[in-house]
Amino acid sequence: MLIAVADRPRRGARAAFRGWRARRPFWGGLLLALAGGEILLTEKASLKVVMHIGMQGAAGYLLPTLMALLGLLILFNPAQRLFYSITGVLLSLGTWVTSNLGGFFIGLLLGVTGSCLAFGWLPDQEPRVSRRERRKQAKATARAQAEGTKGAKGLAA
């Protein structure tokens, strides 16, 4: 038995990933997840490298784990990105006290940056038009208006 398939070109994996990425705050979620992973890795550093363990070590593992989880939630559930990003900023700032000064500042900065990117992401925003394209459109509009006024003058005479 044959099944009729529409004649549309098949999208490659790269194009499918780009489409998926465009519908969510990808970079914000990725940076927040990477920040959590980086802070967890600095927790496993040798004692000569560790600067500050903080609150009996439990919160030092809990906060970066939650950061990584929130980063993944931002990627796979972008509808709740505002709550996740605000919580991510608070957790990132909390790692300053609990986890080696926020993973030696790197994880702290990645987490705050990723959370801010996720918070500021707008899902239904029109794509930006470059300055060059805006100039071309303005010139074409001016040309069309000039031709329209010439044609109107010719009909009136």
Side-chain angles (χ1 to χ4, degrees), residues 3-152:
I3 299 173
V5 178
D7 291 333
R8 61 185 172 114
R10 293 191 64 177
R11 291 175 36 173
R14 182 179 171 120
F17 176 70
R18 287 178 128 186
W20 178 82
R21 186 182 69 187
R23 292 186 306 271
R24 58 199 70 246
F26 179 76
W27 293 109
L30 183 67
L31 287 178
L32 186 58
L34 288 176
E38 193 273 336
I39 293 171
L40 278 173
L41 285 176
T42 61
E43 290 288 325
K44 295 292 184 182
S46 67
L47 287 177
K48 293 177 183 176
V49 176
V50 172
M51 298 166 82
H52 185 227
I53 297 259
M55 301 184 192
Q56 288 82 26
Y61 291 106
L62 181 66
L63 293 183
T65 303
L66 288 174
M67 284 172 61
L69 178 66
L70 286 173
L72 293 175
L73 284 171
I74 287 172
L75 288 175
F76 295 108
N77 188 11
Q80 300 296 324
R81 73 186 185 284
L82 297 176
F83 173 73
Y84 297 148
S85 62
I86 290 170
T87 309
V89 165
L90 295 175
L91 290 175
S92 296
L93 294 174
T95 61
W96 173 265
V97 177
T98 61
S99 309
N100 288 334
L101 299 174
F104 305 115
F105 301 112
I106 297 168
L108 174 73
L109 292 175
L110 282 175
V112 169
T113 304
S115 295
C116 290
L117 284 173
F119 187 83
W121 179 74
L122 297 173
D124 295 331
Q125 189 177 10
E126 289 291 322
R128 292 188 177 181
V129 179
S130 69
R131 188 178 295 163
R132 182 177 295 154
E133 288 297 320
R134 284 189 303 238
R135 285 182 188 154
K136 285 181 184 177
Q137 290 173 357
K139 286 180 183 178
T141 305
R143 222 179 282 131
Q145 288 176 349
E147 290 174 4
T149 56
K150 287 179 185 177

